[in-house]
């Protein structure tokens, strides 16, 4: 079907919330490019996103991944801006970020940037779609990047299982394809057939990138008239060949691909069920929202729900439901269930219960009461103007599609290993398949447990009072509102967002919670059980936009509540009561212990870059337990261990509290008084205040100046070919001027490092330079994951890059220096987007004990005073290769492709000023520690005692327990 000429002057009323002060406008350029403008005079950053209606489904036969590869290539250079990677460099230097993704039928490119740099950024961005340069050299290099991305995914269960679902679909339908691409599909196989991949790339771009298939959104500070004039001039030159939008008619699953039961072997420990139905795409009925309604009910976790019954029987630990993998032509409705070991043995019962619940929904019909309760929380304030309407017949028609004749069942378990007969070709997933008819499912339903399934009761947590509380003292930062021997309360009313929401954080500091691996694991199980016990009651609160979490921390556990403030006190009281009256239910203890055990066992399947970051944290952070010790104690823990442990955990504690948002001072104080009364008051208090000696500290290893430390380990998964490196440079403890020098260096070096190590040298898809902060100790780290090169080689390239970067830093013009300083100032001036973001910023100051709530203003002042010479002097003193004050640590994980180099490198003679760390804990014990900002009532840092003699702290480490972190970072993904 051809895409007709869009009417440029057609009036379109864009529905928006009543509190939305932004202006919107839709236009269509002469080249048929459709654009949405958003004007927001109060924004700190501007942004743009271009969607091209062509994706992986359009890959030519035998060139799998070509659309994704093209997405990569457009970032390199253009005829107007021919310097390679100058677009990304410009975005980074102007305080922004950029990325892209390729889906089935679309490719999307986007960026955000400081307002002052927006016009040029937009011009550079427009050249992606006007005259990009795709050089032969860059083409070859970027195929390696695509392959590195594929190598990263090979041992990822989500990628593997998604491709298996695609594999078991109609071969003549594009859903069946492998879409990300690899060296094999983009280099080896095309060459064997005499095909030039670059020529095919140019042909694909020329054929498919047409203005009439594009949609642009521009978000700016300027008025609509001004931004429209700006955009018209930059995007009107995109060519329009009136390309027909491709519609992939038909369906991906024919009769042979339905009524199947697939048993697949995952990488990680555990058992999962995915029950999938091809359905009518929900986008065809977006006003009625049938998939959202069904996902809400089938995925419900309250009393009477499917999950409630499965959990009660001890068969499942999580359940989710909703639409997935949809296009305009087809869609799937998916129910995903994480099974326990017992649940694995009750597959037929679980399937029977699922279909019984669906049958219940079909018999009950669509409920207007439930539909009206289930506006998305973010839309409650504008519900009357939303394009949503209750239509029972539409919902019923979707329900009828969830039938036994239409089902696809994917059952994942490591127990199937050795009992499969087939292999998926792209990822090597072992699987077997059999047909399962409607009669079998009917039999499962008839013999399923006779548990009572029913629709959810009315939701008592839906807020009824959305009024805003008066703010008499418009404080810009948190104030210490209240303190006692039991707690300290920081308070910050909402002065920026005019939202009926609150954010409450209560940190229970419990010295006994982490004094051993056993205590660490028991605290984890304790917090998981609390969440487990509260689930049926508090799930409705989450549906109603009031979220809560109880999680283990470095020094005890933490309670977080966030959302509409109207019913927050009700939820808080319920949670506090559950903590105070905690009991160990043996059946739930077994389930949670099993779940925690599997998560520890699966640690070895983390990506190598995550492993090196874990080792780096273990090396630097005082009194942390390794994951394998905690895994070792897990099998021996019994119910009685937790019964005895719980009173000890809470025997002495201190609460650090933060209350922010639409809450008055008296309300905030009342909340904390409530908790104090429950835990610390009465004839037999649950808890007592901490002794002065028990306040816990955050201590970080102080690396020796002039020494390069190295730690090497083999990858935990012998089947993972990827290796990884963290090259960490430790600089200083929190100081405003040193902070901004480090931040400015990282801003200037980030994109050149990415370009050199990733784009030019193709060391690995994951290549990052980023700042690192450990309890106020700041540094910078390079993170690289690679199959191409071993970690020692990568380390040498990082050092070579640093030498190359020296000249760029020294030769930087004064204008370039000022531009970078201004970009960093603009980033610091960026306002918090919402209450949660603001609260997390302030909570970090509280949890680290630094309490510099005016940090951004003070660092801006420091930046304004900073000279270019001071920056280069900082580099020469702390960062430059070989300087006497530099403190460096390289952590190397060797994948299976570099196992031979591991032993060879371990046995090599070390260079002068290099130290090989043989054992982590001996190393930690041998080094002095930085002083702690945190650790005493009032958070007073006694700088008188923060003395070093010959680089060694005169006081030994305080006994403070910190857990290892499963770290994740925002890594560039294109």
């Amino acid at each position: 079907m051809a895409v007709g000429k869009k009417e440029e002057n057609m009036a379109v009323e864009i529905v928006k919330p009543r509190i939305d002060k932004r202006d919107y406008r839709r236009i269509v350029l002469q080249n048929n490019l459709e654009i949405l403008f958003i004007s927001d005079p109060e924004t700190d950053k501007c942004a743009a996103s271009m969607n091209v209606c062509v994706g992986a489904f359009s890959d030519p036969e035998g060139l799998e991944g070509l659309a994704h590869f093209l997405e990569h290539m457009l970032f390199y250079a253009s005829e107007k801006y021919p310097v390679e990677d100058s677009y990304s460099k410009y975005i980074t230097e102007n305080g922004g970020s950029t990325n892209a993704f390729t889906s089935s039928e679309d490719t999307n490119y986007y960026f955000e940037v400081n307002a002052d740099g927006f016009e040029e950024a937009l011009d550079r961005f427009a050249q992606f779609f006007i005259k990009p340069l795709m050089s032969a050299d860059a083409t070859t290099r970027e195929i390696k990047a695509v392959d590195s991305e594929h190598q990263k995914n090979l041992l990822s269960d989500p990628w593997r299982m998604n491709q298996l679902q695609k594999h078991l679909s109609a071969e003549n339908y594009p859903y069946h394809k492998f879409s990300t691409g690899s060296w094999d599909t983009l280099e080896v196989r095309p060459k064997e057939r005499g095909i030039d991949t670059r020529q095919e790339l140019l042909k694909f771009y020329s054929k498919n990138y047409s203005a009439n298939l594009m949609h642009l959104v521009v978000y700016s500070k300027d008025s609509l008239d001004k931004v429209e004039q700006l955009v018209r001039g930059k995007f009107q030159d995109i060519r329009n060949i009136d390309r027909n939008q491709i519609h992939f008619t038909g369906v991906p699953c024919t009769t042979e691909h339905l009524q199947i039961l697939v048993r697949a072997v995952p990488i990680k420990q555990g058992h999962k069920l995915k029950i999938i139905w091809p359905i009518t795409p929900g986008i065809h009925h977006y006003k009625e929202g049938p998939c959202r309604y069904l996902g809400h009910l089938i995925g419900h976790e309250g009393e009477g729900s499917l999950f409630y019954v499965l959990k009660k029987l001890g068969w499942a630990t999580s359940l989710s439901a909703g639409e997935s993998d949809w296009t305009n032509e087809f869609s799937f409705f998916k129910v995903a269930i994480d099974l326990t070991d017992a649940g694995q043995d009750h597959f037929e019962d679980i399937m029977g219960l699922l279909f019984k619940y669906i049958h219940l929904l079909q018999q009950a019909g669509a409920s207007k009461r439930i539909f009206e309760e289930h506006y998305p929380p973010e839309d409650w304030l504008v519900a009357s103007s939303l394009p949503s309407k209750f239509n029972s017949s539409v919902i019923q028609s979707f329900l009828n599609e969830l039938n036994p004749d239409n089902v696809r069942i994917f059952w994942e378990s490591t127990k199937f290993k050795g009992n499969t007969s087939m292999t998926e070709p792209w990822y090597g997933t072992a699987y077997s398949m059999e047909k399962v008819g409607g009669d079998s499912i009917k039999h499962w339903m008839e013999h399923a447990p006779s548990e009572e399934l029913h629709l959810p009761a009315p939701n008592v947590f839906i807020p009824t009072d959305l009024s805003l509380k008066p703010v008499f003292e418009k404080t810009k930062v948190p104030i210490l509102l209240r303190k006692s021997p039991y707690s300290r309360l920081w308070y910050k009313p909402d002065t920026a967002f005019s939202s009926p929401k609150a954010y409450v954080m209560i940190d229970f500091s419990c010295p006994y919670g982490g004094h051993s691996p056993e205590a660490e694991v028991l605290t984890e199980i304790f917090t998981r059980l609390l969440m487990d016990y509260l689930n049926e009651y508090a799930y409705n609160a989450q549906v109603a936009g009031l979220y809560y979490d109880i999680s283990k921390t470095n020094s005890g556990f933490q309670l977080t509540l966030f959302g509409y403030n109207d019913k927050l006190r009700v939820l808080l009281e319920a949670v506090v009561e559950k903590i105070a009256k905690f009991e160990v239910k043996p059946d739930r203890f077994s389930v949670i212990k099993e779940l925690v055990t599997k998560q520890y066992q699966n640690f070895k399947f983390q990506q190598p870059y995550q492993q090196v970051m874990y080792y780096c944290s273990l090396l630097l952070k005082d009194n942390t337990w390794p994951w394998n010790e905690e895994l070792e104690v897990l099998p021996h823990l019994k119910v009685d261990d937790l019964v005895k442990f719980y009173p000890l955990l809470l025997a002495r504690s201190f609460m650090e509290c933060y209350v922010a948002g639409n809450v008055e001072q008296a309300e905030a104080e009342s909340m904390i008084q409530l908790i104090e009364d429950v835990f610390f008051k009465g004839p037999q208090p649950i808890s007592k205040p901490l002794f002065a000696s028990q306040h816990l500290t955050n201590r970080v290893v102080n690396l020796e100046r002039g020494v390069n430390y190295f730690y090497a380990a083999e990858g935990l998964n012998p089947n993972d070919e990827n290796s990884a490196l963290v090259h960490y440079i430790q600089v200083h403890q929190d100081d405003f001027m040193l902070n901004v020098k480090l931040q400015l260096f990282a801003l200037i070096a980030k994109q050149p490092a990415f370009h050199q190590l990733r784009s030019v040298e193709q060391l690995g898809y994951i290549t990052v330079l980023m700042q690192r902060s450990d309890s106020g100790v700041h540094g910078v780290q390079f993170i690289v994951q690679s199959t191409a090169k071993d970690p020692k080689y990568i380390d040498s390239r990082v050092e070579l890059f640093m030498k190359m970067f020296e000249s760029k830093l020294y030769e930087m013009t004064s204008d370039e220096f000022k531009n970078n300083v201004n970009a960093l100032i603009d980033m610091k001036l960026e306002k918090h987007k919402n209450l949660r973001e603001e609260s997390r910023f302030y909570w970090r100051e509280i949890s680290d004990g630094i309490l510099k709530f005016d940090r951004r203003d003070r660092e801006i002042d420091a930046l304004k005073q900073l000279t270019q010479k001071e920056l280069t002097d900082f580099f020469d003193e702390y960062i430059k290769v070989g300087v006497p004050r530099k403190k460096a640590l390289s952590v190397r994980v060797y994948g299976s492709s570099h196992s031979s180099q591991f032993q060879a490198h371990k046995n090599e003679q070390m260079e002068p000023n290099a130290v090989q760390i043989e054992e982590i804990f001996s190393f930690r014990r041998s080094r002095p520690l930085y002083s702690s900002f945190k650790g005493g009532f009032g958070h007073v840092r006694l700088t008188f005692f923060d003395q070093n003699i010959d680089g060694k702290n005169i006081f030994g480490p305080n006994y403070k327990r910190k857990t290892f972190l499963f770290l994740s970072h925002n890594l560039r993904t294109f």
Side-chain angles (χ1 to χ4, degrees), residues 60 293 477 620:
Y293 175 88
V477 298
L620 292 174

Side-chain angles (χ1 to χ4, degrees), residues 92-163:
T92 301
E93 289 177 348
N94 284 273
S97 62
T98 182
N99 218 321
F101 64 84
T102 303
S103 63
S104 299
E105 296 182 307
D106 298 276
T107 307
N108 191 282
Y109 305 83
Y110 55 93
F111 74 89
E112 67 170 14
V113 73
N114 291 339
D116 291 344
F118 183 55
E119 182 172 349
E120 184 174 335
L122 200 63
D123 191 58
R124 290 174 176 272
F125 184 66
Q127 299 306 309
F128 281 33
F129 315 103
I130 298 173
K131 287 188 178 179
L133 295 179
M134 291 179 267
S135 69
D137 176 58
T139 300
T140 302
R141 281 188 277 121
E142 201 58 25
I143 291 175
K144 293 178 181 178
V146 170
D147 185 68
S148 179
E149 183 177 357
H150 174 59
Q151 294 295 324
K152 172 184 71 70
N153 299 335
L154 278 175
L155 296 178
S156 166
D157 281 330
W159 282 97
R160 292 164 68 88
M161 297 306 164
N162 181 61
Q163 189 62 43

Side-chain angles (χ1 to χ4, degrees), residues 935-950:
F937 181 65
H939 280 186
V940 178
R941 184 182 180 202
L942 300 178
T943 53
F944 174 78
F945 294 109
D946 182 22
Q947 302 294 328
N948 290 288
I949 299 176
D950 295 327

Side-chain angles (χ1 to χ4, degrees), residues 170 650 826:
L650 286 176
D826 286 344

Side-chain angles (χ1 to χ4, degrees), residues 852-868:
K852 294 177 181 176
F853 297 130
D854 60 347
R855 172 177 302 280
R856 297 203 294 189
D857 291 340
R858 299 281 293 277
E859 289 182 350
I860 288 171
D861 291 342
L863 275 169
K864 290 177 178 177
Q865 299 170 26
L866 181 65
T867 66
Q868 189 167 349

Side-chain angles (χ1 to χ4, degrees), residues 279-283 285 288-298 321-324 331-333 374 394-395 398 401:
I279 59 167
T280 302
I283 191 68
H285 299 279
E288 294 84 2
C291 289
R292 194 171 69 199
Y293 175 88
L294 296 181
H296 166 61
L297 287 178
I298 298 174
E323 189 177 17
S324 67
S331 184
F332 295 101
F333 190 90
H374 192 57
V394 169
I395 292 173
F398 273 71
E401 291 187 275

Side-chain angles (χ1 to χ4, degrees), residues 513-528:
H515 78 291
S516 68
E518 289 87 350
E520 180 83 9
V521 175
L522 286 168
T523 304
E524 175 73 26
I525 294 174
F526 163 70
T527 58
R528 297 287 191 100

